[in-house]
Amino acid sequence: MQLKIMPKKKHFSAGRVPLILFLCQMISALDVPLDLVQPPTITQQSPKDYIIDPRENIVIQCEAKGKPPPSFSWTRNGTHFDIDKDPLVTMKPGSGTLIINIMSEGKAETYEGVYQCTARNERGAAISNNIVVRPSRSPLWTKERLEPITLHNGQSLVLPCRPPIGLPPAIIFWMDNSFQRLPQSERVSQGLNGDLYFSNVLPEDTREDYICYARFNHTQTIQQKQPISLKVISVDELNDTIAANLSDTEFYGAKPGKERPPTFLTPQGTESRKEELRGNVLSLECIAEGLPTPIIYWIKEDGTLPVNRTFYQNFKKTLQITQVSEADSGNYQCIAKNTLGAVHHTISVTVKAAPYWISAPQNLVLSPGENGTLICRANGNPKPRIGWLTNGVPVEIAPDDPSRKIDGDTIIFSNVQERSSAVYQCNASNEYGYLLANAFVNVLAEPPRILTSANILYQVIANRPALLDCAFFGSPLPTIEWFKGTKGSALHEDIYVLHDNGTLEIPVAQKDSTGTYTCVARNKLGMAKNEVHLEIKDPTRIIKQPEYAVVQRGSKVSFECKVKHDDTLIPTIMWLKDNGELPNDERFSIGKDHLVVTDVSDDDGGMYTCAANTTLDSVSASAVLRVVAPTPTPAPIYDVPNPPFDLELTNQLDKGVQLTWTPGDDNNSPITKFIIEYEDAMHEAGIWHHQAEVSGTQTTAQLTLSPYVNYSFRVMAENSIGRSVPSEASEQYLTKAAEPDQNPTAVEGLGTEPDNLVITWKPLNGFESNGPGLQYKVSWRQKDGDDEWTSVVVANVSKYIVSGTPTFVPYLIKVQALNDVGFAPEPAAVMGHSGEDLPMVAPGNVRVNVVNSTLAEVHWDPVPLKSVRGHLQGYRIYYWKAQSSSKRNRRHIEKKILTFQGNKTHGMLPGLQPYSHYVLNVRVVNGKGEGPASTDRGFHTPEGVPSAPSSLKIVNPTLDSLTLEWDPPSHPNGVLTEYTLRYQPINSTHELGPLVDLKIPANKTRWTLNHLNFSTRYKFYFYAQTSVGSGSQITEEAITTVDEAGILPPDVGAGKGKEEWRKEIVNDSRSFYGLKGLMPGTAYKVRVGAEGDSGFVSSEDVFETGPAMASRQVDIATQGWFIGLMCAVALLILILLIVCFIRRNKGGKYPVKEKEDAHADPEIQPMKEDDGTFGEYSDAEDHKPLKKGSRTPSDRTVKKEDSDDSLVDYGEGVNGQFNEDGSFIGQYSGKKEKEPAEGNESSEAPSPVNAMNSFV
């Protein structure tokens, strides 16, 4: 069934008026798409009364839209305003907005006037309001002389303000010299005219700085009146002399202030009149004087004051009524009353009205030959005059249009044609103002179009209204039809409401409202449609609300707030205190479902609110916290509560029962909650389940029960210490059976064979069955067919197999629970598929693009989806390296597999071996397996760089040569062109020598290097090359041999005769080892063994050393003549240093030479007897390094070590001590003890120690 919307058809129901008004307001003006021809429409303009700041440039706005884009012109004071003739005036490009540059030159007053903008194109002309431009004014106060005022205590007073007249009017306020507002009260207040009224004065009113200020907001300026001085005196305080010299006329007022009844300061008399315009704020004022201070009351003589629009200001001296209307006209009475009497004043209020719209004209789009009307209805007081203009010209003098007829406030159009397009202006005016509205008539022939975006997803909370938009346009005006589902499910008018703007309303959206809705717009020129989608969400609910709590000061309180929400919506939980944010205090902690307040204080008392918000709805719940003083108790003993007792079941219903209990002792810790558990003796005897939790202040709980369950209950109490043991179980209660209230979950339909459909589900448990005889109704039908549902009822199982199904066809499946009582709710259908079969078609057009020597890109054409016969999982590439026939016979071909998920049509093959021939094929994969392979496709990878040589060994080392043997690279990756050998010597300090490069032909596997240095370690770098480049290198090290003549007897194991074997363990990767210290001309037997997991394996050989012969080269460092020569040179240098030292110190103040002669300098040690080498210098103290040629400590002190005899006073700048043998150990310095070090170190006398250190 389909539902149509005709242009004038509306469906209203009770209680739905606000929604319909809202929709009508949204679509009140017909919006023509901008890509269609249309007359101009004014979109933005300056206000009618436009007050400008004279210090800034003047900007008069006028924006309009239309097709073609409109041109703009202006009038000023009723005549054309030629902006080209005024260099200060420019028009904003693309609009009619005027910019008058008065900041550079010119005055704002020059451009005062009435402006009107016209926007015109080929279809008509729209005009703006008359914009009255006036510069703001903030004049100064006129100069005046203000005499000081002296009053008796209790007299009345009016301080006049009389501010200068500005534009707009100034805001008046009274302050003192310190810019502090003067306090106001029922006694002292400011009137609407700005004057300051005193009902009676007091001595504290005395001051010299009553200042009236006028603030002009438009220019952000404040003007100040001259200060007024007021002095209030009391006659009682005057002495008789002063009182005799003062006359009454010297005071402000006639008589001293005495108690008196009220009289009005403003307004004067007993009656006055007030006129106000409709929609404004009516302000009525009565200010009275008197002593005591009068109180003001207000009444309306012929009615009551409007409740929601009446406000009192200025201590009830001002009555304000907002949004005043003609009904507010009448007599208003203010009453001033004190203890001595009362006075009345009547204000007669008349409400006039500038014109206001009853029905403003709306744009009219008609197709050729159609009829239509423009209606312009306005009201006012007095009633406004209605005038029509067309394209800005009064209709009386405009060109005649035979399709147009004017009837007062209505223009009737009949049989319109394209030339009938125009913009009409309606002017409603009276003495208080005017209204101007533009409305165009656009004659178009246009097929329908949908303006709402396609496939919009609407999300709505269940049981709330859903509004589905379908904005449209067309000429003639299209009719709108709505369909649900792809096959046009029926929409009933009693369920759906259709609005004139095309919106479909579902007043109460339910879960079954979910689906796809199609909006179709038709007129005689064509049709357009659009789909939108609706999802219904579960409402957010607070299933566990915070509860009222009374806690002691200093204790902890917890509020619980558990929220249940739609699974697809994420709620935001917020806690509030007294409707404001929580205090920024670490004592407040928020958990997932709790608010916890620790160390509660008195300020924490109040209302706490848990608010849960989602993108679609919000809920909240509140609880009050009351904080009480802790009760002093003598050393209480805290423990878990005693278990509750006396459990009783009452109010037994089919699905509910009330459980009552008596709490046990709380053991000095208040019970925070009770936990209720139940046992199902019928289905799960002996197993207790959680039922509910209630506040620790409750002793009853209303429990919701499930049907067909044999319940027993028990209760546990919990406090801050812990949980009590369970109570005794209650009596059993068996609930009546009922139909299941839920259906199985996890319903799936998957085929295990090509011709079956296996339907599985998670069955209900016994508790969920709600009654005996649990069974399942399994229903299925093909999704894309018109078949009826096929159903079968099965026992309490979890699987049903449908046989004879087509291969891989989508099915709709439902599994509904039922028992002996009835059926569960109708389940939602889920989609499944019958069994898959192997794909039938191989991918075609397989192409290979070799990217580089190790990477190739494969492309193929996808197979038709129908041939997949299952869920397409991807494509699988089998590829392998092609072998020669001999190699294929020797070993199995290793195939590699790469799978590409989804419906891809290309893939990359990484890790290929260069310079190889590969073969591949492609297969499609579904859930059943692989389809047939495509035709094998072969490709070659280009050459690459080779791998490193398989091995490198150095054999047959001699004094000046080494032989290298190697195996070619295991992966040449091409044709080898040559080998490169690079080597360099390594000296004894592990420094590398110069690098030598050597090229070796590719067919060699052995090479001998000659003319090397003997006994030298070499490092070798060896790699192969192809035409592409060099491969990885392999490194090795080896040492040339050395002549071993003249060495000590052997120390390495080599057997001779019957001597014992000597053994040397060699942990090295080398294939040779040098035996040192062998005797010349001697036969030796040598055995080389290796020990591993398989045991010890050895091999023996016999050799004979050659005869002794002179060494080619002798190590000079071991020759005796060289050692003697070096000792002589060292001795000569030592003697020379001693002589220099003596000569340098000759002629000093102290005769130390004799001491030096008697005791040789101990710092110069004699030659050691055992090896003839020099003794090393040793620091006698702490082995610290010498500093600046002196060994004297920096603080000029001497440590006592070997002797207590001190020679601190011996010689200038010398500290020393004696050795055990009486010899003197001294230090010599050319500086005095307390002289600071200056100059360089050469100024000091060199000591033997310094000289020796310098030499070394």
Side-chain angles (χ1 to χ4, degrees):
M1 178 179 178
Q2 64 186 23
L3 197 59
K4 293 187 178 181
I5 307 176
M6 300 305 293
K8 297 300 180 182
K9 188 173 182 178
K10 295 183 181 178
H11 302 274
F12 292 95
S13 60
R16 297 185 55 258
V17 174
L19 176 61
I20 300 303
L21 290 178
F22 172 73
L23 289 169
C24 291
Q25 185 178 14
M26 291 178 60
I27 64 166
S28 59
L30 184 62
D31 197 8
V32 181
L34 277 176
D35 61 334
L36 297 179
V37 176
Q38 57 186 289
T41 301
I42 300 290
T43 58
Q44 192 173 2
Q45 57 182 314
S46 295
K48 294 179 181 179
D49 189 9
Y50 187 24
I51 300 175
I52 61 172
D53 189 337
R55 300 167 299 179
E56 298 178 354
N57 289 339
I58 303 172
V59 179
I60 310 176
Q61 290 186 328
C62 179
E63 304 287 344
K65 65 178 182 177
K67 183 71 180 292
S71 60
F72 296 88
S73 62
W74 285 86
T75 62
R76 179 183 175 201
N77 298 328
T79 61
H80 176 66
F81 183 34
D82 191 349
I83 63 175
D84 296 331
K85 293 183 178 180
D86 192 334
L88 300 183
V89 181
T90 58
M91 187 180 294
K92 188 176 178 182
S95 77
T97 298
L98 292 183
I99 302 175
I100 305 175
N101 185 8
I102 62 172
M103 295 183 65
S104 58
E105 57 179 312
K107 294 184 179 180
E109 291 79 5
T110 306
Y111 295 95
E112 284 192 70
V114 180
Y115 292 79
Q116 188 173 46
C117 170
T118 300
R120 186 185 309 273
N121 69 8
E122 63 186 31
R123 289 251 164 171
I127 61 175
S128 69
N129 293 321
N130 285 331
I131 303 171
V132 181
V133 177
R134 296 182 294 170
S136 63
R137 299 180 178 88
S138 51
L140 299 175
W141 247 287
T142 57
K143 297 290 184 179
E144 57 181 331
R145 180 181 177 84
L146 301 176
E147 296 293 338
I149 299 174
T150 303
L151 290 180
H152 287 299
N153 183 20
Q155 288 185 279
S156 63
L157 172 65
V158 179
L159 295 182
C161 179
R162 293 191 288 272
I165 298 175
L167 184 67
I171 298 174
I172 307 300
F173 51 93
W174 289 79
M175 295 196 297
D176 58 17
N177 274 332
S178 301
F179 297 101
Q180 300 296 317
R181 285 188 180 269
L182 297 176
Q184 298 190 23
S185 62
E186 292 179 340
R187 185 178 63 85
V188 183
S189 61
Q190 175 183 316
L192 294 176
N193 63 352
D195 293 348
L196 191 63
Y197 293 86
F198 294 78
S199 295
N200 50 77
V201 296
L202 298 175
E204 55 262 31
D205 295 330
T206 299
R207 64 189 312 143
E208 298 180 350
D209 55 352
Y210 284 93
I211 305 174
C212 182
Y213 288 86
R215 183 173 68 222
F216 297 92
N217 282 343
H218 212 80
T219 57
Q220 297 295 311
T221 58
I222 297 178
Q223 305 292 355
Q224 172 183 337
K225 185 182 177 72
Q226 291 292 325
I228 301 176
S229 174
L230 171 64
K231 183 177 181 181
V232 179
I233 62 175
S234 173
V235 176
D236 297 336
E237 298 175 357
L238 300 176
N239 55 45
D240 296 336
T241 303
I242 297 176
N245 293 330
L246 293 175
S247 63
D248 290 344
T249 59
E250 292 179 280
F251 291 95
Y252 185 91
K255 296 180 180 179
K258 297 181 180 179
E259 290 191 351
R260 59 192 181 276
T263 59
F264 283 110
L265 297 174
T266 184
Q268 301 291 330
T270 59
E271 293 183 355
S272 61
R273 305 184 68 81
K274 174 76 173 181
E275 189 176 279
E276 191 56 79
L277 290 181
R278 180 181 186 272
N280 290 350
V281 177
L282 173 66
S283 296
L284 305 178
E285 179 182 59
C286 284
I287 301 178
E289 65 90 16
L291 191 66
T293 301
I295 304 299
I296 304 296
Y297 303 92
W298 291 90
I299 60 173
K300 187 178 183 183
E301 293 181 355
D302 50 354
T304 59
L305 296 173
V307 177
N308 296 326
R309 296 185 292 115
T310 301
F311 302 93
Y312 296 99
Q313 305 289 339
N314 198 17
F315 308 99
K316 294 193 73 173
K317 299 174 187 178
T318 302
L319 169 69
Q320 287 187 338
I321 299 176
T322 60
Q323 293 294 320
V324 68
S325 65
E326 290 86 339
D328 296 317
S329 298
N331 293 328
Y332 292 81
Q333 192 176 95
C334 62
I335 304 166
K337 184 184 296 185
N338 68 5
T339 56
L340 300 182
V343 63
H344 303 257
H345 184 93
T346 301
I347 304 174
S348 178
V349 174
T350 302
V351 177
K352 298 291 186 179
Y356 58 91
W357 291 117
I358 296 176
S359 176
Q362 304 295 322
N363 292 336
L364 189 61
V365 178
L366 300 173
S367 63
E370 280 192 321
N371 304 328
T373 58
L374 285 179
I375 300 175
C376 177
R377 290 177 184 166
N379 201 359
N381 187 11
K383 189 172 183 63
R385 298 176 300 277
I386 302 296
W388 287 98
L389 299 89
T390 176
N391 296 328
V393 178
V395 72
E396 294 81 9
I397 61 176
D400 190 28
D401 184 354
S403 66
R404 177 183 68 213
K405 178 183 179 182
I406 300 177
D407 184 9
D409 58 7
T410 303
I411 300 180
I412 302 171
F413 297 93
S414 58
N415 192 24
V416 297
Q417 301 301 321
E418 185 174 346
R419 64 179 179 274
S420 303
S421 297
V423 183
Y424 289 86
Q425 290 84 30
C426 173
N427 189 327
S429 60
N430 64 11
E431 60 187 278
Y432 297 105
Y434 74 94
L435 293 174
L436 178 68
N438 289 275
F440 64 66
V441 175
N442 196 15
V443 180
L444 291 173
E446 187 70 22
R449 62 172 69 182
I450 305 294
L451 305 180
T452 300
S453 300
N455 293 313
I456 293 179
L457 175 62
Y458 294 91
Q459 295 180 330
V460 178
I461 297 296
N463 299 319
R464 294 189 182 181
L467 298 173
L468 309 183
D469 295 331
C470 181
F472 63 94
F473 181 80
S475 181
L477 187 65
T479 60
I480 300 299
E481 299 170 317
W482 278 94
F483 300 90
K484 181 181 180 184
T486 57
K487 298 186 178 180
S489 299
L491 302 180
H492 303 286
E493 294 190 18
D494 55 345
I495 300 177
Y496 301 92
V497 179
L498 296 142
H499 299 278
D500 287 350
N501 67 341
T503 297
L504 172 68
E505 178 189 352
I506 306 174
V508 182
Q510 302 292 341
K511 280 288 187 178
D512 58 1
S513 302
T514 299
T516 299
Y517 292 79
T518 303
C519 165
V520 179
R522 290 188 177 90
N523 67 9
K524 64 182 181 181
L525 300 179
M527 180 268 287
K529 66 180 180 178
N530 185 40
E531 286 187 352
V532 296
H533 309 282
L534 176 63
E535 288 183 357
I536 307 301
K537 306 292 184 180
D538 292 328
T540 304
R541 295 185 295 113
I542 298 179
I543 57 176
K544 181 62 178 178
Q545 299 185 359
E547 296 181 348
Y548 172 79
V550 179
V551 299
Q552 295 181 352
R553 189 185 309 121
S555 61
K556 180 175 75 172
V557 66
S558 176
F559 291 105
E560 186 176 9
C561 180
K562 289 187 177 180
V563 178
K564 184 177 182 181
H565 59 91
D566 192 278
D567 294 338
T568 62
L569 300 179
I570 301 177
T572 301
I573 309 299
M574 179 182 297
W575 286 91
L576 304 174
K577 181 180 185 296
D578 298 328
N579 295 323
E581 293 184 359
L582 289 177
N584 186 14
D585 192 330
E586 61 183 9
R587 297 182 300 109
F588 291 78
S589 61
I590 299 176
K592 179 181 179 183
D593 300 322
H594 293 80
L595 167 66
V596 178
V597 185
T598 58
D599 191 18
V600 175
S601 64
D602 293 335
D603 294 338
D604 297 332
M607 184 175 67
Y608 289 83
T609 301
C610 166
N613 301 292
T614 69
T615 55
L616 299 181
D617 64 346
S618 62
V619 291
S620 63
S622 301
V624 174
L625 171 64
R626 188 163 67 90
V627 182
V628 298
T631 303
T633 54
I637 299 175
Y638 300 97
D639 200 354
V640 299
N642 292 343
F645 54 93
D646 288 345
L647 274 65
E648 183 180 0
L649 298 177
T650 57
N651 296 340
Q652 296 178 355
L653 306 173
D654 290 347
K655 293 187 178 181
V657 70
Q658 180 172 291
L659 176 64
T660 307
W661 64 89
T662 302
D665 192 277
D666 63 6
N667 291 327
N668 299 312
S669 179
I671 296 174
T672 57
K673 63 181 177 180
F674 291 98
I675 299 94
I676 303 169
E677 295 181 338
Y678 73 90
E679 176 196 25
D680 180 6
M682 181 183 300
H683 302 104
E684 294 179 318
I687 299 176
W688 290 89
H689 301 274
H690 181 272
Q691 172 72 26
E693 292 182 4
V694 297
S695 168
T697 59
Q698 291 184 225
T699 57
T700 61
Q702 187 67 39
L703 305 179
T704 300
L705 307 181
S706 295
Y708 199 58
V709 176
N710 193 8
Y711 282 97
S712 294
F713 299 98
R714 68 183 187 184
V715 183
M716 292 173 286
E718 186 175 297
N719 61 12
S720 59
I721 307 300
R723 183 176 294 184
S724 72
V725 298
S727 67
E728 294 291 332
S730 70
E731 60 180 306
Q732 290 187 346
Y733 175 55
L734 177 62
T735 55
K736 292 183 179 179
E739 66 275 1
D741 51 17
Q742 58 182 306
N743 285 301
T745 57
V747 178
E748 291 184 345
L750 298 172
T752 58
E753 297 296 336
D755 60 349
N756 74 3
L757 171 67
V758 179
I759 303 173
T760 60
W761 60 90
K762 181 181 178 182
L764 305 181
N765 58 36
F767 182 81
E768 298 166 335
S769 64
N770 289 359
L774 177 63
Q775 293 178 299
Y776 300 102
K777 178 184 177 183
V778 183
S779 305
W780 67 92
R781 71 175 177 87
Q782 290 191 24
K783 178 178 180 296
D784 299 327
D786 296 328
D787 299 342
E788 297 294 329
W789 287 92
T790 302
S791 301
V792 63
V793 176
V794 299
N796 187 10
V797 294
S798 61
K799 180 172 70 174
Y800 182 78
I801 300 176
V802 181
S803 301
T805 62
T807 301
F808 195 66
V809 172
Y811 277 85
L812 293 178
I813 303 165
K814 296 188 293 186
V815 179
Q816 184 179 22
L818 67 148
N819 59 20
D820 292 348
V821 179
F823 287 83
E826 183 69 20
V830 299
M831 192 174 76
H833 284 83
S834 57
E836 301 181 61
D837 204 348
L838 295 177
M840 300 170 59
V841 179
N845 194 19
V846 177
R847 303 165 316 272
V848 181
N849 176 29
V850 178
V851 180
N852 55 41
S853 61
T854 62
L855 180 66
E857 183 177 17
V858 183
H859 291 261
W860 60 89
D861 292 344
V863 301
L865 289 179
K866 290 184 178 180
S867 70
V868 176
R869 300 201 296 180
H871 295 284
L872 175 62
Q873 295 186 355
Y875 289 87
R876 187 168 294 163
I877 299 178
Y878 284 77
Y879 64 101
W880 62 94
K881 187 176 177 183
Q883 305 287 343
S884 64
S885 59
S886 59
K887 291 185 177 181
R888 283 199 298 267
N889 293 333
R890 286 200 299 267
R891 63 177 183 177
H892 178 69
I893 297 176
E894 180 185 357
K895 292 186 178 181
K896 296 183 180 179
I897 302 173
L898 277 180
T899 301
F900 299 92
Q901 302 292 334
N903 194 17
K904 290 193 175 181
T905 59
H906 69 280
M908 307 297 288
L909 300 183
L912 302 178
Q913 185 173 333
Y915 201 61
S916 301
H917 180 65
Y918 280 89
V919 180
L920 64 80
N921 56 52
V922 185
R923 313 177 191 199
V924 66
V925 184
N926 64 12
K928 189 72 172 178
E930 299 175 354
S934 66
T935 304
D936 288 352
R937 178 73 62 182
F939 64 95
H940 290 272
T941 54
E943 280 192 277
V945 296
S947 62
S950 300
S951 66
L952 177 63
K953 297 184 293 183
I954 290 87
V955 298
N956 300 333
T958 66
L959 289 174
D960 60 356
S961 67
L962 292 171
T963 299
L964 285 73
E965 293 182 353
W966 62 88
D967 291 327
S970 58
H971 297 288
N973 295 337
V975 178
L976 296 183
T977 58
E978 62 183 1
Y979 292 100
T980 298
L981 174 64
R982 307 173 72 193
Y983 63 93
Q984 58 190 144
I986 305 174
N987 63 17
S988 59
T989 59
H990 303 288
E991 295 177 350
L992 298 174
L995 192 64
V996 179
D997 275 14
L998 182 63
K999 302 296 183 180
I1000 301 174
N1003 59 351
K1004 299 291 186 181
T1005 58
R1006 179 184 179 94
W1007 196 263
T1008 300
L1009 297 175
N1010 296 310
H1011 308 296
L1012 303 178
N1013 296 331
F1014 78 95
S1015 188
T1016 302
R1017 179 180 293 272
Y1018 285 88
K1019 186 166 186 178
F1020 299 93
Y1021 312 88
F1022 190 62
Y1023 54 88
Q1025 288 180 277
T1026 64
S1027 60
V1028 176
S1030 302
S1032 303
Q1033 68 181 13
I1034 184 171
T1035 61
E1036 186 59 84
E1037 293 184 11
I1039 305 175
T1040 55
T1041 59
V1042 63
D1043 189 351
E1044 304 295 347
I1047 303 179
L1048 294 175
D1051 57 357
V1052 181
K1056 180 180 179 183
K1058 294 184 179 179
E1059 293 183 3
E1060 294 183 357
W1061 286 88
R1062 298 183 186 181
K1063 182 168 63 174
E1064 183 74 18
I1065 297 175
V1066 180
N1067 293 321
D1068 202 358
S1069 60
R1070 294 176 295 177
S1071 61
F1072 64 91
Y1073 186 79
L1075 299 178
K1076 300 179 181 180
L1078 303 182
M1079 298 297 293
T1082 306
Y1084 287 90
K1085 179 186 290 185
V1086 63
R1087 177 186 299 161
V1088 179
E1091 187 172 5
D1093 296 336
S1094 60
F1096 183 80
V1097 180
S1098 64
S1099 177
E1100 292 185 1
D1101 196 6
V1102 178
F1103 68 93
E1104 184 177 350
T1105 57
M1109 56 186 299
S1111 176
R1112 298 182 185 179
Q1113 186 174 351
V1114 179
D1115 190 353
I1116 193 173
T1118 61
Q1119 303 302 312
W1121 64 269
F1122 179 75
I1123 296 174
L1125 177 62
M1126 295 308 296
C1127 290
V1129 172
L1131 182 59
L1132 288 175
I1133 293 173
L1134 180 58
I1135 295 172
L1136 179 61
L1137 290 174
I1138 294 173
V1139 172
C1140 291
F1141 176 79
I1142 294 173
R1143 290 177 62 85
R1144 183 66 179 264
N1145 287 279
K1146 189 174 182 180
K1149 290 184 180 182
Y1150 303 100
V1152 299
K1153 187 175 184 305
E1154 293 80 357
K1155 294 182 180 286
E1156 292 174 357
D1157 294 338
H1159 302 283
D1161 193 341
E1163 299 292 291
I1164 308 301
Q1165 299 296 329
M1167 297 176 61
K1168 294 183 180 179
E1169 297 178 357
D1170 53 352
D1171 57 4
T1173 59
F1174 284 108
E1176 295 180 351
Y1177 165 73
S1178 174
D1179 191 335
E1181 292 186 321
D1182 56 2
H1183 300 282
K1184 292 182 180 178
L1186 302 176
K1187 297 181 180 179
K1188 293 188 178 181
S1190 173
R1191 286 172 45 82
T1192 307
S1194 61
D1195 57 356
R1196 295 289 182 177
T1197 61
V1198 177
K1199 297 180 181 179
K1200 295 182 180 181
E1201 292 183 357
D1202 301 321
S1203 173
D1204 292 333
D1205 295 332
S1206 175
L1207 291 182
V1208 174
D1209 297 328
Y1210 181 80
E1212 183 179 4
V1214 178
N1215 296 331
Q1217 65 186 32
F1218 286 97
N1219 244 337
E1220 292 179 354
D1221 59 356
S1223 61
F1224 177 73
I1225 303 174
Q1227 296 178 354
Y1228 301 87
S1229 172
K1231 294 290 181 181
K1232 292 185 180 180
E1233 181 179 358
K1234 296 184 180 180
E1235 236 177 10
E1238 295 180 1
N1240 53 35
E1241 297 182 6
S1242 63
S1243 64
E1244 299 183 5
S1247 70
V1249 174
N1250 290 337
M1252 192 65 182
N1253 280 326
S1254 299
F1255 171 74
V1256 174

